[in-house]
Amino acid sequence: MTNFHNQFSRRKFITIAGSVAAGSIILNAGLSNPGSAQSKGLETTKVKLGYIPIVEAAPLIIAKEKGFFAKHGMTDIELSKQASWGAARDNVEIGSSGGGIDGGQWQMPMPYYISMGKITKGNKPIPMYVLLQLNTQGNGISVSDKHKGQKISLKVSDAKAYFDKLKAGGSRFKAAYTFPQANQDFWIRYWLAAGGINPDTDVELLTVPSAQTVANMKTGTMDAFSTGDPWPYRIVIDKIGFLAALTAEIWKNHPEEYLGMRADWVDKNPKATKAILKAIMEAQQWCDNFGNRKELAEICAGREYFNVPINVLEGPLLGKYDKGDGKKLDDKTMAPYYWKDQRGSVSYPYRSHDLWFLTESVRWGFLPPDTLDKAKGMISKVNREGLWREAAKELGIPAADIPKSTSRGVETFFDGIKFDPENPKAYLRSLKIKKVSI
Ligand code: CA
């Protein structure tokens, strides 16, 4: 069925492309050009990008489905669904020439870990570039219904006595994420530590692949889970848990996942890279339009992509959450914005955000403290925000919508803690619970 649908769509596309090529140039001018003219001058029209079936991937999916990749000349894009973050890492290690991928969607700071060789086979460094932020916010921490009524919410300090009781009873509260030492691990850790709960000693943290989420929560293998939708909201809809906190509540307008690619691919194909960036930027602006959000939910929910009921995605994409604990939320600023939010461009990869992810890695002992002394040099190597700027200019984005600085400035978290990118050590000193001594 899916294959038939694919073939049908492809045939239809080829027919349209053929008729456009045969038509007059004047007629073509206003159409979404399927690419032949745009492809000229690109080093390649082919690329293979990995994605994980969660809302963070939406701009990639829309860039393909709405023809933005083709419009910018990238006519041979393959979006490759990854079984897990570990699989994505393995596939970028081998690259598309070896049957893997050239880049794709990443949690932070995975592109840094891969560039350093921290999480690769034999610790071999595979240089990568961070090119664009795919989305902001849009993640949640869901908790099993068996803990309902124990005051587990954003202000988790209210449940400290309960966590202590579980620990004393020999069964620590188990919180899971999809990949260690990156976004989801950080959101759980930040939330718990802000409530006086030490994530390394008071609870148990573990990795669970998204596909096993519902089963593991039902059987009690895990008590809490953090990832992108459809998972947190699916837990609510399936009536097995509730949303204790949205990541948007923990850190308003926080950076979430990124487009990252192998450095050798980008260095070899700088024009094609910018074409990819322009296509995703257009897709992000399409996604930002709340008038498109229902269609966005429909496309992503489809069998080829997430293969979930549409209502699991609609709520989160519209900022409408039934938190499953009697609380309802209807707030568009809680929705995962893709292009702009109250603090400027979401899509622009601020170097100050990369620094926060590296600092947080130091906080929990994932990277050594001297990382902070080397961070500036490391970030300028990996984060290629200049390419984003060039692509934005070429696309005709107004100067006012292109950030002037590589820093978004001071960030404030829900517990009042501030991260000043000019002084990450002061941020670490201000945190009570941490693994690093600074
Ligand atoms: Ca995520």
Side-chain angles (χ1 to χ4, degrees):
M1 185 74 182
T2 311
N3 278 341
F4 172 76
H5 176 76
N6 281 347
Q7 279 169 12
F8 177 75
S9 304
R10 184 156 171 77
R11 197 160 299 154
K12 197 166 130 199
F13 175 74
I14 289 164
T15 311
I16 294 166
S19 66
V20 168
S24 77
I25 290 161
I26 295 160
L27 259 176
N28 287 348
L31 295 175
S32 169
N33 191 321
S36 53
Q38 292 292 337
S39 297
K40 275 186 197 150
L42 298 184
E43 304 87 353
T44 181
T45 57
K46 190 176 176 162
V47 71
K48 196 166 161 192
L49 301 174
Y51 77 96
I52 301 281
I54 47 178
V55 287
E56 288 87 331
L60 296 174
I61 293 167
I62 290 305
K64 181 164 183 185
E65 291 296 317
K66 287 285 161 187
F68 294 122
F69 281 134
K71 178 183 168 187
H72 291 284
M74 295 305 290
T75 48
D76 198 2
I77 285 253
E78 187 185 337
L79 292 186
S80 168
K81 198 192 282 194
Q82 303 295 300
S84 65
W85 291 105
R89 180 253 342 252
D90 294 345
N91 281 328
V92 85
E93 253 185 85
I94 55 178
S96 67
S97 59
I101 54 177
D102 301 304
Q105 170 193 353
W106 301 101
Q107 295 194 60
M108 277 291 236
M110 285 182 81
Y112 284 87
Y113 290 160
I114 293 167
S115 295
M116 294 171 199
K118 178 177 159 60
I119 56 170
T120 52
K121 279 187 200 79
N123 297 112
K124 188 186 167 202
I126 311 278
M128 287 192 72
Y129 292 152
V130 166
L131 298 167
L132 165 148
Q133 193 185 312
L134 285 170
N135 78 310
T136 179
Q137 309 182 149
N139 283 227
I141 298 168
S142 42
V143 173
S144 165
D145 265 349
K146 78 171 182 198
H147 301 294
K148 242 182 194 169
Q150 302 295 345
K151 298 180 181 167
I152 303 175
S153 66
L154 178 64
K155 199 173 149 251
V156 73
S157 54
D158 291 347
K160 171 96 170 80
Y162 179 64
F163 280 81
D164 288 346
K165 200 178 92 185
L166 291 175
K167 188 184 172 185
S171 61
R172 285 186 293 172
F173 186 84
K174 291 189 280 293
Y177 36 72
T178 50
F179 195 79
Q181 310 192 355
N183 294 43
Q184 260 69 53
D185 193 359
F186 291 147
W187 306 144
I188 291 178
R189 284 172 176 271
Y190 195 97
W191 169 63
L192 290 171
I197 295 157
N198 189 321
D200 284 311
T201 54
D202 294 337
V203 299
E204 205 179 304
L205 297 174
L206 62 154
T207 305
V208 168
S210 310
Q212 289 166 32
T213 307
V214 174
N216 281 15
M217 200 166 261
K218 273 183 184 159
T219 57
T221 316
M222 65 186 195
D223 299 301
F225 190 59
S226 167
T227 186
D229 278 307
W231 297 103
Y233 200 50
R234 191 169 186 170
I235 285 166
V236 172
I237 285 188
D238 287 359
K239 299 201 186 308
I240 54 170
F242 61 95
L243 280 167
L246 298 174
T247 55
E249 296 174 303
I250 294 171
W251 179 6
K252 189 92 181 147
N253 305 319
H254 72 78
E256 185 49 33
E257 288 174 15
Y258 286 80
L259 175 79
M261 295 188 71
R262 287 179 62 107
D264 56 4
W265 196 95
V266 173
D267 288 341
K268 200 173 147 204
N269 306 296
K271 286 178 184 158
T273 302
K274 279 193 274 176
I276 292 169
L277 292 177
K278 284 185 265 187
I280 299 175
M281 287 172 179
E282 285 209 71
Q284 289 179 309
Q285 292 173 79
W286 187 94
C287 292
D288 242 8
N289 181 346
F290 275 82
N292 292 331
R293 291 267 167 132
K294 265 185 195 253
E295 190 184 346
L296 174 61
E298 267 168 35
I299 293 171
C300 290
R303 200 181 295 192
E304 267 180 83
Y305 294 108
F306 300 2
N307 195 20
V308 294
I310 294 166
N311 68 327
V312 180
L313 287 178
E314 239 179 37
L317 286 172
L318 291 167
K320 287 182 185 168
Y321 286 91
D322 174 349
K323 294 181 83 180
D325 59 353
K327 289 183 204 130
K328 284 211 165 96
L329 200 79
D330 190 352
D331 181 352
K332 281 187 177 173
T333 71
M334 291 291 174
Y337 286 89
Y338 295 116
W339 178 250
K340 285 177 84 171
D341 65 14
Q342 299 91 330
R343 290 200 63 185
S345 173
V346 167
S347 172
Y348 174 74
Y350 286 99
R351 287 182 168 172
S352 58
H353 289 160
D354 294 20
L355 181 62
W356 181 82
F357 284 107
L358 293 176
T359 305
E360 207 63 1
S361 302
V362 170
R363 175 186 182 182
W364 299 115
F366 305 152
L367 290 174
D370 69 351
T371 305
L372 293 180
D373 305 321
K374 296 184 255 175
K376 215 174 173 186
M378 210 186 291
I379 292 170
S380 62
K381 233 179 180 175
V382 176
N383 180 308
R384 299 295 305 274
E385 53 82 37
L387 283 171
W388 188 100
R389 288 177 188 280
E390 285 175 33
K393 271 183 210 148
E394 287 175 20
L395 192 59
I397 300 297
D401 288 346
I402 301 176
K404 296 207 168 37
S405 168
T406 59
S407 170
R408 198 172 72 169
V410 175
E411 305 287 344
T412 308
F413 295 81
F414 80 108
D415 57 344
I417 291 286
K418 287 186 194 305
F419 172 74
D420 180 353
E422 298 302 315
N423 195 353
K425 282 181 185 164
Y427 162 80
L428 288 176
R429 276 186 217 108
S430 74
L431 296 160
K432 284 196 193 81
I433 297 180
K434 59 192 169 230
K435 226 171 175 182
V436 69
S437 44
I438 203 122

